[in-house]
Amino acid sequence: MYSSLDESLCGGLPLELCEQLSIEQQVIKIRLDERKFGKEVTIIEGLPDDKNLLKQIAKTLKTKLATGGTFKEGRIELQGDHRHKVKQILIDEFGFQPENILILD
C-alpha cells in the first residue's frame, strides 16, 4: 500500500493523516501578475501537486469568485485581483492554515 517514499515521509501514519499533515505544511503563495493590456491575474502557487485536488480547488474558486481561470503547471490562475478573497476561501473550504498562506504584494 505504501511505497518506501511514503513510509519515510509519514513514519507509518495512516494515509489520510499523512495527507492532512502535508496540507498543513504547505506554504501557499498568492500574488498578482499583470498580463497584456493591463489585465490582472491572481496566481496561487505552492498547492499540493495533485491534479484532481488542483482541479477541485480551481473550480471552487472560480465559482465562488464568479471569474474565469485555469490550473496548469502546479498553480492556479484567476482573472482579476482576488488575493484576499482566495486566502479566506482556502481557509474556510479546504482547511489550509492561515499562517501558511502568504499574500505577496
Side-chain angles (χ1 to χ4, degrees):
M1 183 175 194
Y2 285 114
S3 69
S4 60
L5 180 61
D6 290 336
E7 289 176 8
S8 66
L9 292 175
C10 298
L13 293 173
L15 185 59
E16 297 83 21
L17 188 57
C18 183
E19 288 175 356
Q20 184 63 31
L21 285 173
S22 69
I23 286 175
E24 290 177 2
Q25 292 175 353
Q26 293 291 129
V27 176
I28 300 169
K29 297 176 184 167
I30 303 171
R31 64 183 173 89
L32 191 64
D33 197 11
E34 194 170 304
R35 299 288 166 89
K36 289 182 184 178
F37 310 111
K39 301 284 184 180
E40 294 179 328
V41 178
T42 302
I43 299 177
I44 304 116
E45 299 174 311
L47 293 165
D49 196 24
D50 176 6
K51 187 175 181 179
N52 292 327
L53 180 60
L54 279 176
K55 186 175 182 178
Q56 179 185 0
I57 292 172
K59 182 177 179 179
T60 301
L61 290 171
K62 292 189 306 184
T63 301
K64 291 214 175 261
L65 298 170
T67 189
T70 186
F71 71 97
K72 58 183 176 183
E73 300 172 10
R75 68 181 188 203
I76 297 174
E77 298 180 4
L78 301 172
Q79 297 172 356
D81 183 2
H82 302 286
R83 291 173 288 182
H84 298 284
K85 295 175 190 173
V86 166
K87 179 177 181 177
Q88 196 58 48
I89 292 170
L90 290 175
I91 293 166
D92 295 342
E93 298 286 325
F94 297 99
F96 289 103
Q97 299 298 318
E99 59 270 6
N100 291 350
I101 301 175
L102 304 173
I103 297 177
L104 306 175
D105 292 318

